[in-house]
Each structure stands twice: as structure tokens, then as C-alpha cells.
Coordinates of all heavy atoms in Angstrom, one line a residue:
M19 N -22.0 14.0 25.8 CA -20.7 13.8 25.1 C -19.7 14.7 25.6 O -19.8 15.9 25.5 CB -21.0 14.0 23.6 CG -19.8 13.7 22.8 SD -20.2 13.6 21.0 CE -21.3 14.9 20.7
S20 N -18.6 14.2 26.2 CA -17.6 15.0 26.8 C -16.6 15.5 25.7 O -16.4 14.9 24.7 CB -16.8 14.2 27.8 OG -16.0 13.3 27.2
P21 N -16.0 16.7 25.9 CA -15.0 17.2 24.9 C -13.8 16.2 24.7 O -13.3 16.1 23.6 CB -14.5 18.5 25.5 CG -15.6 18.9 26.5 CD -16.2 17.6 27.0
H22 N -13.4 15.6 25.8 CA -12.3 14.6 25.6 C -12.7 13.5 24.7 O -11.9 13.0 23.9 CB -12.0 14.0 27.0 CG -10.9 13.0 27.0 ND1 -11.2 11.6 26.8 CD2 -9.6 13.1 27.0 CE1 -10.1 11.0 26.7 NE2 -9.0 11.8 26.9
H23 N -13.9 13.0 24.7 CA -14.4 11.9 23.8 C -14.4 12.4 22.4 O -14.0 11.6 21.5 CB -15.8 11.5 24.3 CG -16.2 10.2 23.6 ND1 -15.5 9.1 23.7 CD2 -17.3 9.9 22.9 CE1 -16.1 8.1 23.0 NE2 -17.2 8.6 22.5
M24 N -14.7 13.6 22.1 CA -14.7 14.1 20.7 C -13.3 14.2 20.2 O -13.0 13.9 19.1 CB -15.4 15.5 20.7 CG -16.9 15.5 20.8 SD -17.6 17.1 20.7 CE -17.3 17.5 19.0
V25 N -12.3 14.6 21.1 CA -10.9 14.7 20.6 C -10.4 13.4 20.2 O -9.7 13.2 19.2 CB -10.1 15.4 21.8 CG1 -8.6 15.3 21.4 CG2 -10.5 16.8 21.9
S26 N -10.7 12.3 21.0 CA -10.2 11.0 20.7 C -10.8 10.5 19.4 O -10.1 9.8 18.6 CB -10.4 10.0 21.9 OG -11.8 9.8 22.1
T27 N -12.0 10.8 19.2 CA -12.7 10.4 17.9 C -12.0 11.1 16.7 O -11.7 10.4 15.8 CB -14.2 10.7 17.9 OG1 -14.8 10.1 19.1 CG2 -14.8 10.3 16.7
N28 N -11.8 12.4 16.8 CA -11.2 13.1 15.7 C -9.7 12.6 15.6 O -9.3 12.5 14.4 CB -11.1 14.6 16.0 CG -12.5 15.2 15.9 OD1 -13.4 14.7 15.2 ND2 -12.7 16.3 16.5
G29 N -9.0 12.3 16.6 CA -7.7 11.8 16.6 C -7.6 10.5 15.8 O -6.7 10.2 15.0
L30 N -8.5 9.6 16.1 CA -8.6 8.3 15.5 C -8.8 8.4 14.0 O -8.2 7.8 13.2 CB -9.6 7.4 16.2 CG -9.6 5.9 15.9 CD1 -8.2 5.3 16.3 CD2 -10.7 5.2 16.7
A31 N -9.8 9.2 13.7 CA -10.1 9.4 12.3 C -9.0 10.1 11.5 O -8.6 9.7 10.4 CB -11.4 10.3 12.1
G32 N -8.3 11.1 12.2 CA -7.2 11.7 11.6 C -6.0 10.8 11.4 O -5.4 10.8 10.4
A33 N -5.8 9.9 12.4 CA -4.7 8.9 12.3 C -5.0 8.0 11.1 O -4.1 7.6 10.4 CB -4.6 8.1 13.6
A34 N -6.2 7.6 11.0 CA -6.6 6.7 9.9 C -6.4 7.3 8.5 O -5.8 6.7 7.6 CB -8.1 6.2 10.0
A35 N -6.7 8.6 8.4 CA -6.6 9.4 7.2 C -5.1 9.5 6.9 O -4.6 9.3 5.7 CB -7.2 10.7 7.2
V36 N -4.3 9.9 7.9 CA -2.8 10.0 7.7 C -2.2 8.7 7.3 O -1.4 8.6 6.3 CB -2.2 10.6 8.9 CG1 -0.7 10.6 8.8 CG2 -2.6 12.1 9.1
L37 N -2.5 7.6 8.0 CA -1.9 6.3 7.7 C -2.3 5.9 6.3 O -1.5 5.3 5.6 CB -2.3 5.3 8.7 CG -1.5 5.3 10.0 CD1 -2.1 4.4 11.0 CD2 -0.1 4.9 9.7
G38 N -3.6 6.1 5.9 CA -4.0 5.8 4.6 C -3.2 6.5 3.5 O -2.8 5.9 2.5
A39 N -3.1 7.8 3.7 CA -2.3 8.7 2.7 C -0.9 8.3 2.6 O -0.3 8.1 1.6 CB -2.5 10.1 3.1
V40 N -0.2 8.1 3.8 CA 1.2 7.6 3.8 C 1.3 6.2 3.2 O 2.2 6.0 2.5 CB 1.7 7.7 5.3 CG1 3.1 7.1 5.3 CG2 1.8 9.1 5.7
G41 N 0.4 5.4 3.6 CA 0.4 4.0 3.1 C 0.3 4.0 1.6 O 1.0 3.3 0.9
L42 N -0.6 4.9 1.0 CA -0.8 4.9 -0.4 C 0.5 5.5 -1.1 O 0.9 4.9 -2.1 CB -2.0 5.9 -0.7 CG -2.4 6.0 -2.2 CD1 -2.7 4.6 -2.8 CD2 -3.6 6.9 -2.3
S43 N 1.1 6.5 -0.5 CA 2.3 7.0 -1.1 C 3.5 6.1 -1.0 O 4.4 6.1 -1.8 CB 2.6 8.4 -0.5 OG 3.0 8.3 0.8
M44 N 3.5 5.2 0.0 CA 4.6 4.3 0.2 C 4.3 2.9 -0.4 O 5.1 2.0 -0.3 CB 4.9 4.1 1.7 CG 5.3 5.4 2.4 SD 6.8 6.1 1.8 CE 8.0 4.9 2.4
S45 N 3.1 2.7 -1.0 CA 2.8 1.4 -1.5 C 3.7 0.9 -2.6 O 3.8 -0.3 -2.8 CB 1.3 1.4 -1.9 OG 1.1 2.3 -3.0
V46 N 4.3 1.8 -3.3 CA 5.3 1.5 -4.3 C 6.5 0.7 -3.8 O 7.0 -0.2 -4.4 CB 5.7 2.7 -5.1 CG1 6.8 2.4 -6.1 CG2 4.5 3.4 -5.7
V47 N 6.8 0.9 -2.5 CA 8.0 0.3 -1.9 C 7.5 -0.7 -0.9 O 8.3 -1.0 0.1 CB 9.0 1.3 -1.4 CG1 9.7 2.0 -2.5 CG2 8.4 2.2 -0.4
F48 N 6.4 -1.3 -1.0 CA 5.8 -2.3 -0.2 C 5.5 -1.9 1.3 O 4.8 -2.7 2.0 CB 6.7 -3.6 -0.1 CG 7.0 -4.1 -1.5 CD1 8.3 -4.1 -2.0 CD2 6.1 -4.6 -2.3 CE1 8.6 -4.5 -3.2 CE2 6.4 -5.1 -3.5 CZ 7.7 -5.1 -4.0
I49 N 6.0 -0.8 1.8 CA 5.7 -0.4 3.1 C 4.2 0.0 3.3 O 3.6 -0.1 4.3 CB 6.6 0.8 3.5 CG1 8.0 0.4 3.5 CG2 6.2 1.3 4.9 CD1 9.0 1.5 3.6
G50 N 3.6 0.4 2.1 CA 2.2 0.9 2.2 C 1.2 -0.2 2.5 O 0.2 0.1 3.1
G51 N 1.5 -1.4 2.2 CA 0.6 -2.5 2.6 C 0.3 -2.6 4.1 O -0.8 -2.5 4.5
P52 N 1.4 -2.8 4.9 CA 1.2 -2.9 6.3 C 0.6 -1.6 6.9 O -0.3 -1.6 7.7 CB 2.6 -3.1 6.9 CG 3.3 -3.7 5.8 CD 2.8 -3.1 4.5
L53 N 1.0 -0.4 6.4 CA 0.5 0.8 6.9 C -1.0 0.9 6.5 O -1.8 1.4 7.2 CB 1.2 2.0 6.3 CG 2.6 2.3 6.9 CD1 3.3 3.5 6.1 CD2 2.6 2.5 8.4
G54 N -1.3 0.4 5.3 CA -2.7 0.4 4.8 C -3.6 -0.4 5.7 O -4.7 -0.1 6.0
V55 N -3.1 -1.6 6.1 CA -3.8 -2.5 7.0 C -4.2 -1.8 8.3 O -5.3 -1.8 8.8 CB -3.1 -3.8 7.2 CG1 -3.8 -4.6 8.3 CG2 -3.0 -4.6 5.9
I56 N -3.1 -1.1 8.9 CA -3.3 -0.4 10.2 C -4.3 0.7 9.9 O -5.3 0.9 10.7 CB -2.0 0.1 10.7 CG1 -1.1 -1.1 11.1 CG2 -2.2 1.0 11.9 CD1 0.4 -0.7 11.3
G57 N -4.1 1.5 8.9 CA -5.0 2.6 8.6 C -6.5 2.1 8.3 O -7.4 2.8 8.8
L58 N -6.6 1.0 7.7 CA -8.0 0.4 7.4 C -8.7 0.1 8.7 O -9.8 0.4 8.9 CB -7.8 -0.8 6.5 CG -9.1 -1.4 6.0 CD1 -9.9 -0.4 5.1 CD2 -8.9 -2.7 5.2
I59 N -7.9 -0.6 9.6 CA -8.5 -1.0 10.9 C -8.9 0.3 11.7 O -10.0 0.4 12.2 CB -7.5 -1.9 11.7 CG1 -7.3 -3.2 11.0 CG2 -8.0 -2.1 13.1 CD1 -6.2 -4.1 11.5
L60 N -8.0 1.2 11.8 CA -8.3 2.5 12.5 C -9.5 3.2 11.9 O -10.3 3.8 12.6 CB -7.0 3.4 12.5 CG -5.9 3.0 13.4 CD1 -4.7 4.0 13.3 CD2 -6.3 2.9 14.9
G61 N -9.5 3.2 10.5 CA -10.6 3.9 9.8 C -12.0 3.2 10.1 O -12.9 3.9 10.3
I62 N -12.0 1.9 10.2 CA -13.2 1.2 10.5 C -13.7 1.5 11.9 O -14.8 1.8 12.2 CB -13.1 -0.3 10.2 CG1 -13.0 -0.6 8.7 CG2 -14.2 -1.1 10.8 CD1 -12.5 -2.0 8.3
V63 N -12.7 1.5 12.8 CA -13.0 1.8 14.2 C -13.5 3.2 14.3 O -14.5 3.5 15.0 CB -11.8 1.5 15.2 CG1 -12.1 2.0 16.6 CG2 -11.5 0.0 15.2
A64 N -12.8 4.1 13.6 CA -13.2 5.6 13.7 C -14.6 5.8 13.0 O -15.4 6.6 13.5 CB -12.2 6.4 12.9
L65 N -14.9 5.0 12.0 CA -16.3 5.1 11.4 C -17.4 4.7 12.4 O -18.4 5.4 12.5 CB -16.4 4.2 10.2 CG -16.0 4.9 8.9 CD1 -16.1 3.8 7.7 CD2 -16.9 6.0 8.5
R66 N -17.1 3.6 13.1 CA -18.1 3.2 14.2 C -18.2 4.2 15.3 O -19.3 4.5 15.7 CB -17.6 1.8 14.8 CG -17.8 0.7 13.8 CD -17.4 -0.6 14.5 NE -17.6 -1.7 13.6 CZ -17.1 -2.9 13.8 NH1 -16.4 -3.2 14.9 NH2 -17.3 -3.9 12.9
T67 N -17.1 4.8 15.7 CA -17.1 5.9 16.7 C -17.8 7.1 16.2 O -18.6 7.7 16.9 CB -15.7 6.2 17.1 OG1 -15.0 5.0 17.5 CG2 -15.7 7.2 18.3
A68 N -17.6 7.4 14.9 CA -18.2 8.6 14.3 C -19.7 8.4 14.2 O -20.5 9.4 14.4 CB -17.6 8.9 12.9
K69 N -20.1 7.2 14.0 CA -21.6 7.0 13.9 C -22.2 7.3 15.3 O -23.3 7.8 15.4 CB -21.8 5.5 13.5 CG -23.3 5.2 13.2 CD -23.5 3.7 12.8 CE -22.9 3.5 11.5 NZ -23.2 2.1 11.0
R70 N -21.5 6.9 16.4 CA -22.0 7.2 17.7 C -21.9 8.7 18.1 O -22.8 9.2 18.7 CB -21.1 6.4 18.7 CG -21.9 5.3 19.4 CD -21.2 4.6 20.6 NE -19.8 5.1 20.9 CZ -18.7 4.5 20.6 NH1 -18.7 3.4 19.8 NH2 -17.5 5.0 21.0
T71 N -20.8 9.3 17.7 CA -20.5 10.7 18.2 C -20.9 11.7 17.2 O -21.0 12.9 17.6 CB -19.1 10.8 18.6 OG1 -18.3 10.7 17.4 CG2 -18.7 9.8 19.7
G72 N -20.9 11.4 15.9 CA -21.2 12.4 14.9 C -20.0 13.2 14.4 O -20.1 14.1 13.7
T73 N -18.8 12.9 14.9 CA -17.6 13.6 14.5 C -16.5 12.7 13.9 O -16.4 11.5 14.2 CB -16.9 14.3 15.7 OG1 -16.5 13.3 16.6 CG2 -17.8 15.3 16.4
G74 N -15.8 13.2 12.9 CA -14.7 12.5 12.3 C -15.1 11.6 11.2 O -14.2 10.9 10.7
R75 N -16.3 11.6 10.7 CA -16.7 10.6 9.7 C -16.0 10.8 8.4 O -15.5 9.9 7.7 CB -18.2 10.8 9.4 CG -18.8 9.7 8.5 CD -20.3 9.8 8.5 NE -20.8 8.6 7.8 CZ -20.9 8.4 6.5 NH1 -20.5 9.4 5.7 NH2 -21.4 7.3 6.0
G76 N -15.8 12.1 7.9 CA -15.1 12.3 6.6 C -13.7 11.8 6.7 O -13.2 11.2 5.7
R77 N -13.0 12.1 7.7 CA -11.6 11.7 7.8 C -11.5 10.2 7.9 O -10.6 9.5 7.4 CB -10.9 12.4 9.0 CG -10.4 13.8 8.6 CD -9.7 14.4 9.7 NE -10.7 14.6 10.8 CZ -10.4 15.2 11.9 NH1 -9.2 15.6 12.2 NH2 -11.3 15.3 12.9
A78 N -12.5 9.6 8.7 CA -12.5 8.1 8.8 C -12.7 7.5 7.4 O -12.0 6.5 7.1 CB -13.6 7.7 9.8
I79 N -13.6 8.0 6.6 CA -13.9 7.5 5.3 C -12.6 7.7 4.4 O -12.2 6.7 3.7 CB -15.1 8.1 4.6 CG1 -16.4 7.7 5.4 CG2 -15.2 7.8 3.1 CD1 -17.6 8.4 5.0
T80 N -12.0 8.8 4.5 CA -10.7 9.1 3.8 C -9.7 8.0 4.1 O -9.0 7.5 3.3 CB -10.2 10.5 4.1 OG1 -11.2 11.4 3.7 CG2 -8.9 10.7 3.3
G81 N -9.6 7.7 5.4 CA -8.6 6.7 5.9 C -8.9 5.3 5.4 O -8.0 4.6 4.9
V82 N -10.2 5.0 5.4 CA -10.6 3.6 4.9 C -10.3 3.5 3.4 O -9.7 2.5 2.9 CB -12.1 3.4 5.2 CG1 -12.6 2.1 4.4 CG2 -12.3 3.2 6.7
V83 N -10.7 4.5 2.6 CA -10.5 4.5 1.2 C -9.0 4.5 0.8 O -8.6 3.6 0.0 CB -11.3 5.6 0.5 CG1 -10.9 5.7 -1.0 CG2 -12.8 5.4 0.7
T84 N -8.3 5.4 1.3 CA -6.8 5.5 1.0 C -6.1 4.3 1.4 O -5.2 3.8 0.8 CB -6.2 6.8 1.5 OG1 -6.4 6.9 2.9 CG2 -6.7 8.0 0.8
S85 N -6.5 3.7 2.6 CA -5.8 2.5 3.1 C -6.1 1.3 2.2 O -5.2 0.5 1.9 CB -6.3 2.2 4.5 OG -5.9 3.3 5.4
A86 N -7.3 1.2 1.8 CA -7.7 0.1 0.9 C -7.0 0.2 -0.4 O -6.4 -0.8 -0.9 CB -9.2 0.1 0.7
I87 N -6.9 1.4 -0.9 CA -6.1 1.6 -2.2 C -4.7 1.2 -2.0 O -4.0 0.6 -2.9 CB -6.3 3.0 -2.8 CG1 -7.8 3.2 -3.2 CG2 -5.4 3.3 -3.9 CD1 -8.1 4.7 -3.5
A88 N -4.1 1.7 -0.9 CA -2.7 1.4 -0.6 C -2.4 -0.1 -0.5 O -1.4 -0.6 -1.0 CB -2.3 2.0 0.7
I89 N -3.4 -0.9 0.1 CA -3.2 -2.3 0.1 C -3.3 -2.9 -1.3 O -2.4 -3.8 -1.6 CB -4.3 -2.9 1.0 CG1 -4.1 -2.5 2.5 CG2 -4.3 -4.5 0.9 CD1 -5.3 -2.7 3.4
V90 N -4.2 -2.5 -2.1 CA -4.4 -3.0 -3.4 C -3.1 -2.7 -4.3 O -2.6 -3.6 -4.9 CB -5.7 -2.5 -4.1 CG1 -5.7 -2.8 -5.6 CG2 -6.9 -3.0 -3.4
V91 N -2.6 -1.5 -4.2 CA -1.5 -1.1 -5.0 C -0.2 -1.9 -4.5 O 0.5 -2.4 -5.4 CB -1.2 0.4 -4.9 CG1 0.2 0.8 -5.5 CG2 -2.3 1.2 -5.6
S92 N -0.1 -2.1 -3.2 CA 1.1 -2.9 -2.7 C 1.0 -4.3 -3.2 O 2.0 -4.9 -3.6 CB 1.1 -2.9 -1.2 OG 1.4 -1.6 -0.7
V93 N -0.2 -4.9 -3.2 CA -0.4 -6.3 -3.7 C -0.1 -6.4 -5.2 O 0.6 -7.3 -5.6 CB -1.8 -6.8 -3.3 CG1 -2.0 -8.1 -4.1 CG2 -1.9 -7.0 -1.8
L94 N -0.6 -5.4 -5.9 CA -0.4 -5.4 -7.4 C 1.1 -5.3 -7.7 O 1.7 -6.0 -8.6 CB -1.1 -4.3 -8.1 CG -2.6 -4.5 -8.2 CD1 -3.3 -3.3 -8.8 CD2 -3.0 -5.8 -9.0
I95 N 1.8 -4.4 -7.0 CA 3.3 -4.2 -7.2 C 4.0 -5.5 -6.8 O 4.9 -5.9 -7.5 CB 3.8 -3.0 -6.5 CG1 3.2 -1.7 -7.2 CG2 5.3 -2.9 -6.4 CD1 3.5 -0.4 -6.6
A96 N 3.6 -6.1 -5.7 CA 4.3 -7.3 -5.3 C 4.1 -8.4 -6.4 O 5.1 -9.1 -6.7 CB 3.8 -7.8 -4.0
V97 N 2.9 -8.5 -6.9 CA 2.6 -9.5 -8.0 C 3.5 -9.2 -9.2 O 4.1 -10.1 -9.8 CB 1.1 -9.6 -8.3 CG1 0.9 -10.3 -9.6 CG2 0.4 -10.2 -7.1
L98 N 3.5 -7.9 -9.6 CA 4.3 -7.5 -10.7 C 5.8 -7.8 -10.5 O 6.5 -8.3 -11.4 CB 4.1 -6.0 -11.0 CG 4.8 -5.5 -12.2 CD1 4.2 -6.1 -13.5 CD2 4.7 -3.9 -12.3
V99 N 6.3 -7.6 -9.3 CA 7.8 -7.9 -9.1 C 8.0 -9.4 -9.1 O 9.0 -9.8 -9.7 CB 8.2 -7.3 -7.7 CG1 9.5 -7.8 -7.2 CG2 8.2 -5.8 -7.8
V100 N 7.2 -10.2 -8.6 CA 7.3 -11.6 -8.6 C 7.2 -12.1 -10.1 O 8.1 -12.9 -10.5 CB 6.3 -12.3 -7.7 CG1 6.3 -13.8 -8.0 CG2 6.5 -12.0 -6.3
W101 N 6.3 -11.6 -10.8 CA 6.1 -12.0 -12.2 C 7.4 -11.6 -13.0 O 7.9 -12.4 -13.7 CB 4.9 -11.3 -12.8 CG 4.8 -11.5 -14.3 CD1 4.3 -12.6 -15.0 CD2 5.3 -10.6 -15.4 NE1 4.4 -12.4 -16.3 CE2 5.0 -11.2 -16.6 CE3 5.9 -9.4 -15.4 CZ2 5.3 -10.6 -17.8 CZ3 6.2 -8.8 -16.6 CH2 5.9 -9.4 -17.8
Y102 N 7.9 -10.4 -12.8 CA 9.1 -9.9 -13.5 C 10.3 -10.8 -13.1 O 11.1 -11.2 -14.0 CB 9.4 -8.4 -13.2 CG 10.6 -7.9 -13.8 CD1 10.6 -7.5 -15.1 CD2 11.8 -7.9 -13.1 CE1 11.8 -7.0 -15.7 CE2 13.0 -7.4 -13.7 CZ 13.0 -6.9 -15.0 OH 14.1 -6.5 -15.6
A103 N 10.5 -11.0 -11.8 CA 11.6 -11.8 -11.4 C 11.5 -13.3 -11.9 O 12.5 -13.8 -12.4 CB 11.6 -11.9 -9.8
N104 N 10.3 -13.8 -12.0 CA 10.2 -15.1 -12.6 C 10.5 -15.2 -14.1 O 11.1 -16.1 -14.5 CB 8.7 -15.6 -12.3 CG 8.5 -17.1 -12.7 OD1 9.4 -17.9 -12.4 ND2 7.4 -17.4 -13.3
K105 N 10.0 -14.1 -14.8 CA 10.2 -14.1 -16.2 C 11.7 -13.9 -16.6 O 12.2 -14.3 -17.7 CB 9.4 -12.9 -16.9 CG 8.0 -13.3 -17.1 CD 7.9 -14.3 -18.2 CE 6.5 -14.1 -18.9 NZ 6.4 -15.1 -19.9
T106 N 12.4 -13.2 -15.7 CA 13.8 -12.8 -16.0 C 14.8 -13.5 -15.2 O 16.0 -13.1 -15.1 CB 14.0 -11.3 -15.9 OG1 13.7 -10.9 -14.5 CG2 13.1 -10.5 -16.8
Q107 N 14.5 -14.6 -14.5 CA 15.4 -15.3 -13.5 C 16.7 -15.8 -14.2 O 17.7 -15.8 -13.5 CB 14.7 -16.4 -12.8 CG 14.3 -17.6 -13.6 CD 13.4 -18.5 -12.8 OE1 13.0 -18.2 -11.7 NE2 13.2 -19.7 -13.4
E108 N 16.7 -16.1 -15.4 CA 17.9 -16.6 -16.0 C 18.8 -15.5 -16.4 O 19.9 -15.7 -16.8 CB 17.6 -17.6 -17.2 CG 16.4 -17.2 -18.0 CD 16.0 -18.2 -19.0 OE1 15.4 -19.2 -18.7 OE2 16.4 -18.0 -20.2
C109 N 18.4 -14.3 -16.3 CA 19.2 -13.1 -16.6 C 20.0 -12.6 -15.5 O 20.7 -11.6 -15.6 CB 18.3 -12.0 -17.1 SG 17.3 -12.4 -18.6
Y110 N 19.9 -13.2 -14.3 CA 20.5 -12.6 -13.1 C 22.0 -12.8 -13.0 O 22.6 -12.3 -12.0 CB 19.8 -13.1 -11.9 CG 18.4 -12.5 -11.7 CD1 17.3 -13.3 -11.3 CD2 18.1 -11.2 -12.1 CE1 16.1 -12.8 -11.2 CE2 16.9 -10.7 -12.0 CZ 15.8 -11.5 -11.5 OH 14.6 -10.9 -11.4
Q111 N 22.7 -13.5 -13.9 CA 24.1 -13.6 -13.8 C 24.8 -13.2 -15.1 O 25.5 -13.9 -15.7 CB 24.5 -15.1 -13.5 CG 23.9 -15.5 -12.1 CD 24.0 -17.0 -11.9 OE1 24.1 -17.7 -12.9 NE2 23.9 -17.4 -10.7
P112 N 24.5 -11.9 -15.5 CA 25.1 -11.4 -16.7 C 26.5 -11.0 -16.6 O 27.0 -10.7 -15.5 CB 24.2 -10.2 -17.1 CG 23.8 -9.7 -15.7 CD 23.7 -10.9 -14.8
D113 N 27.2 -11.0 -17.7 CA 28.6 -10.5 -17.7 C 28.6 -9.0 -17.9 O 29.6 -8.4 -17.5 CB 29.4 -11.2 -18.9 CG 29.5 -12.7 -18.7 OD1 29.5 -13.1 -17.5 OD2 29.6 -13.4 -19.7
S114 N 27.5 -8.4 -18.4 CA 27.5 -7.0 -18.6 C 26.1 -6.5 -18.5 O 25.1 -7.3 -18.7 CB 28.1 -6.6 -19.9 OG 27.2 -7.0 -21.0
L115 N 25.9 -5.2 -18.3 CA 24.6 -4.7 -18.3 C 23.9 -4.8 -19.6 O 22.7 -5.1 -19.7 CB 24.6 -3.2 -17.9 CG 23.3 -2.5 -17.7 CD1 22.5 -3.1 -16.6 CD2 23.5 -1.0 -17.4
R116 N 24.6 -4.7 -20.7 CA 24.0 -4.8 -22.0 C 23.5 -6.2 -22.2 O 22.4 -6.4 -22.7 CB 25.1 -4.5 -23.1 CG 24.4 -4.2 -24.5 CD 25.5 -3.8 -25.5 NE 25.9 -5.1 -26.2 CZ 27.1 -5.6 -26.2 NH1 28.1 -5.0 -25.5 NH2 27.4 -6.7 -26.8
Q117 N 24.2 -7.2 -21.8 CA 23.8 -8.6 -21.9 C 22.5 -8.8 -21.0 O 21.6 -9.5 -21.5 CB 24.9 -9.5 -21.4 CG 24.7 -11.0 -21.7 CD 25.9 -11.8 -21.3 OE1 26.8 -11.4 -20.5 NE2 26.0 -13.0 -21.8
Y118 N 22.5 -8.2 -19.9 CA 21.3 -8.3 -19.0 C 20.0 -7.7 -19.7 O 19.0 -8.3 -19.7 CB 21.5 -7.6 -17.7 CG 20.3 -7.5 -16.8 CD1 19.8 -8.6 -16.1 CD2 19.6 -6.3 -16.7 CE1 18.7 -8.5 -15.3 CE2 18.5 -6.2 -15.9 CZ 18.0 -7.3 -15.2 OH 16.9 -7.2 -14.4
K119 N 20.2 -6.5 -20.3 CA 19.1 -5.9 -21.0 C 18.6 -6.7 -22.1 O 17.4 -6.9 -22.4 CB 19.5 -4.5 -21.5 CG 19.7 -3.4 -20.5 CD 20.1 -2.1 -21.1 CE 20.3 -1.0 -20.1 NZ 20.8 0.2 -20.7
Q120 N 19.5 -7.3 -22.9 CA 19.1 -8.2 -24.0 C 18.4 -9.4 -23.5 O 17.3 -9.8 -24.1 CB 20.4 -8.6 -24.8 CG 21.0 -7.5 -25.7 CD 22.3 -8.0 -26.3 OE1 22.9 -9.0 -25.9 NE2 22.7 -7.3 -27.3
C121 N 18.8 -10.0 -22.4 CA 18.2 -11.2 -21.9 C 16.8 -10.8 -21.4 O 15.8 -11.5 -21.7 CB 19.0 -11.7 -20.7 SG 18.3 -13.2 -20.0
V122 N 16.6 -9.7 -20.7 CA 15.3 -9.3 -20.3 C 14.4 -9.0 -21.4 O 13.2 -9.4 -21.4 CB 15.4 -8.0 -19.4 CG1 14.1 -7.4 -19.1 CG2 16.1 -8.3 -18.1
Q123 N 14.9 -8.4 -22.5 CA 14.0 -8.1 -23.6 C 13.6 -9.4 -24.3 O 12.4 -9.6 -24.7 CB 14.8 -7.2 -24.7 CG 14.9 -5.8 -24.2 CD 15.7 -5.0 -25.2 OE1 16.4 -5.5 -26.0 NE2 15.7 -3.7 -25.0
Q124 N 14.5 -10.4 -24.3 CA 14.1 -11.7 -24.9 C 13.0 -12.4 -24.0 O 12.1 -13.1 -24.5 CB 15.3 -12.6 -25.0 CG 16.3 -12.2 -26.1 CD 17.6 -13.0 -26.1 OE1 17.8 -13.7 -25.1 NE2 18.4 -12.8 -27.1
Q125 N 13.2 -12.3 -22.7 CA 12.2 -13.0 -21.8 C 10.8 -12.3 -21.8 O 9.8 -13.0 -21.6 CB 12.8 -13.0 -20.4 CG 14.1 -13.8 -20.2 CD 13.9 -15.2 -20.7 OE1 13.0 -15.9 -20.4 NE2 14.9 -15.7 -21.4
L126 N 10.8 -11.0 -22.0 CA 9.5 -10.3 -22.0 C 9.0 -10.2 -23.4 O 7.9 -10.2 -23.7 CB 9.7 -8.9 -21.4 CG 10.1 -8.9 -19.9 CD1 10.3 -7.5 -19.4 CD2 9.2 -9.6 -19.0

């Protein structure tokens, strides 16, 4: 096993962990979903590489787990936004903010 091979394994696992963490923190604004998908793919590849080389397994697992959570959170938030928009669609042309709030309260 060459030192160069170990560095690339650690780099892949590290990238997966970073993308998973960033994806999770950004999942509230929908960016986390795509980052989570990339992190999940890198994490799976890093896990396979870690099985062969014995390095980077912990970071690869961190990347897979945080990426999966980022994807789930992004999907849940997207569903919530669509549900909210659907429930309050008749409120989108208010004459005032107060009227909008009343309409939203009536719809929910």
C-alpha cells in the first residue's frame, strides 16, 4: 500500500464527511439535498476504499450518515413548503400584512 493511496482514501472520506456536514447544515435552504447526494456517493465509495485499505472508515461513515440526514431533512422541508404554499395559496394577494396573517391562520 503506497502512501499516495492512503492520502487519496483519507481525502475521499474527509470530503464525504465535510459534504455531509455542510449538506446537513444547508438542508434548511434546499442546497443540502444535492450536497447530501454527492456526499452520500463519496461516502459509499470511501467506505469501499476503506474496506480495502483500512483507512478513513470513520470519516466515510460520518459522511454517509450526515449526507443521508441532509437528504431527508431537505425532502421534509420541501414537502412542508409545498404543503404550506398549497394551504395558503389564496392568501398570496393580500392588501396588507395583517390581512395575510389572518388568511393564513384561517387556512391552517
Side-chain angles (χ1 to χ4, degrees):
M19 179 166 45
S20 72
H22 177 270
H23 192 52
M24 286 179 69
V25 170
S26 65
T27 302
N28 288 339
L30 194 58
V36 168
L37 279 171
V40 171
L42 183 57
S43 67
M44 298 297 288
S45 60
V46 177
V47 289
F48 305 113
I49 298 169
L53 289 177
V55 170
I56 295 167
L58 185 64
I59 292 168
L60 289 178
I62 291 169
V63 171
L65 270 176
R66 288 183 178 168
T67 306
K69 191 181 285 186
R70 245 188 5 259
T71 64
T73 61
R75 188 172 191 278
R77 281 182 291 180
I79 290 171
T80 300
V82 168
V83 170
T84 55
S85 296
I87 294 170
I89 293 166
V90 169
V91 170
S92 291
V93 168
L94 288 175
I95 289 175
V97 167
L98 185 65
V99 166
V100 169
W101 173 83
Y102 178 83
N104 189 40
K105 281 290 207 183
T106 60
Q107 67 187 11
E108 36 188 79
C109 302
Y110 289 139
Q111 296 166 343
D113 294 332
S114 72
L115 183 60
R116 197 177 93 245
Q117 192 176 14
Y118 172 76
K119 286 181 183 177
Q120 287 174 343
C121 181
V122 168
Q123 286 174 348
Q124 288 171 352
Q125 296 304 315
L126 298 178

